[in-house]
Amino acid sequence: MENKLSLQVPRLVALALLGLMLLSMFTGCVGWSNRRHHEASSVVQFLYPDKDQPFIQPQIPTLRLPLRVGVAFIPAGLGDGRGGFRPIQANFTEQQRTELLRKVAGQFKALPFVQSIEIIPTTYLRPGGGFENLDQLRAMLGIDVVALIAYDQAQNSTETEAGLAYWTIVGAYLVPAQRNSTHTLMEAVVYDIPSRSLLFRAPGTSTVQNHSTLFRADYFLQQASAKGIEDASAQMTANLAQELELFKVRAKEEPQNIRIEHKPGYTGAGALDGWFAALFALILAGRFAASRK
Amino acid sequence: MKALRSNLQLFALPALLLGLAPRVFLYDRTAIMHGEAWRLWTGHWVHFSASHLAWNLVVLLGAGTWLEQARPGLPGRFTLVGAPLISLGLLGLTPAMQAYGGLSGLATGVLVLLALVQLQARAAERGWWIGLLGLVAAKILHDATHAGPLLSRFETGVHQASAAAHVLGAGLAAAAFLFHRSAMCRTPSFSAS
């Protein structure tokens, strides 16, 4: 009897160890299969990095035409809690940034009142550089207006009920039990540097959702990140075109909100408008009608 | 018909031809200062868009034809002398304006001249011609107070509506009218009538 018990103890210990091992694998799988990634560059953090700093009161912008416009990406980074910034690992590649900057620059180039566009390298902007940084760029590049591009991308990969298949190990390779979602927000904000005033903004958003196997989740997330950035960028550039058109109208119709001056060397036009021609025609027609009576 | 034809030859045809090489004929302050004096005349016929030309021509052909019928040859003489004088006025009054194009300065002048000639000749129609002068004054006032750029009308760049050109055109027309009237008064046939 004693001998039988002595034989069973190691077996029970072995079973308990196996159970613990499986449990740890299971919990490990759960921790491993749920993941999050967030990267962002914030206009507010860039322009107003120090919370103790008093709010900068914008003035009525005075645009001196033709404009020289700068286009730049706000550097991605997160506050370190001590007033500083730490850079983050960004999915947004340099090639994607350059391509987007070119597209945005193209939108501005089409405007008749824009003289030149400067694509500003990201290295010229300091994280949290604020308006002082923009003043430096203004002095260095001679720009009046800057279009700052910021983005925010959050990715989630969570396990669905089908994740039970991961217990089989093979299931992690074959069963698409990961639900991946990627939310991207792109935003172009256009500031008049001297007056510190926001002229207009244009957002673009994208949501990409897909399923993948556990072992292909990274690849799918990368693909979704690229697609999210591409879609949001396309929407943002389309919105930017609309906002530019609205801005042209606003600049004409709201002189109290946007002052427009001409730099020396402007071109004058001797132009008679349609309303003038119409009234002139009315007067002539009236004169004819009166002379016939 | 003859009056319309002469105005087409005077305004529309040169505007279309000079539009083929606008850089050579545009009022360009620097170029004029460097001796390219033809720009004092030709700059008025250069336009920045089809609508810019169209509206100017609509007014100019209407007023010019009427004036040609009332006083044959007067639109041509006014244009010949008025074009460089408006340009010289712009050189003096608007030093920040590097370039200028458009017939509206001359058109304003022709309109004012027509109204003054008709006011003198037809007292019964006074109301219509005073109305026309009022319209010109309103246009000048509008351009002077709404000095914003013409952001969307022209395809080639930002342009500022030049109120100075209209003021100069109207002023020159008044001077031309006084000169014309005194010249007519000296002729026996005019005095007799």
Side-chain angles (χ1 to χ4, degrees), chain A residues 32 35 166 169-175 178 212-220:
Chain A
W32 188 41
R35 63 188 86 172
Y166 296 160
I169 309 282
V170 177
Y173 289 89
L174 297 178
V175 180
Q178 287 299 115
S212 67
T213 62
L214 181 62
F215 280 87
R216 296 274 287 169
D218 274 346
Y219 171 77
F220 272 78

Side-chain angles (χ1 to χ4, degrees), chain A residues 97-173:
Chain A
R97 288 174 198 226
T98 309
E99 199 177 318
L100 181 59
L101 285 176
R102 282 199 186 127
K103 278 184 189 166
V104 171
Q107 300 272 4
F108 279 94
K109 256 180 206 160
L111 294 175
F113 53 89
V114 171
Q115 183 183 31
S116 61
I117 311 274
E118 290 285 345
I119 292 180
I120 302 167
T122 310
T123 48
Y124 283 28
L125 269 72
R126 295 189 309 274
F131 282 108
E132 291 75 21
N133 198 175
L134 294 184
D135 282 335
Q136 289 169 336
L137 293 177
R138 186 180 171 222
M140 194 164 69
L141 304 169
I143 55 174
D144 314 293
V145 167
V146 67
L148 296 170
I149 298 170
Y151 75 103
D152 191 316
Q153 188 171 69
Q155 290 191 297
N156 264 315
S157 182
T158 52
E159 186 187 311
T160 61
E161 290 78 2
L164 273 175
Y166 296 160
W167 283 69
T168 64
I169 309 282
V170 177
Y173 289 89

Side-chain angles (χ1 to χ4, degrees), chain A residues 65 112-113 248 251-252 260 262 264-277 279-280 283-284 286-288 290-291, chain B residues 48 52 55-56 63 66 96-102 104 107 111 125 128 132 135 139 149 151 153 157-162 166:
Chain A
L65 307 186
F113 53 89
K248 281 200 293 188
K252 282 183 85 175
I260 290 185
H262 280 79
Y266 72 89
T267 298
L272 298 174
D273 310 87
W275 67 264
F276 183 87
L279 287 174
F280 168 65
I283 288 176
L284 291 197
R287 150 67 180 75
F288 264 121
S291 66
Chain B
F48 302 117
H52 183 204
W55 291 123
N56 282 349
W66 200 319
M97 189 168 75
Q98 176 62 30
Y100 171 82
S104 74
L111 272 179
E125 298 169 0
W128 295 107
L132 187 58
L135 179 63
K139 167 68 178 160
L151 291 176
R153 198 180 313 161
V158 181
H159 303 82
Q160 167 80 52
S162 176
H166 299 159

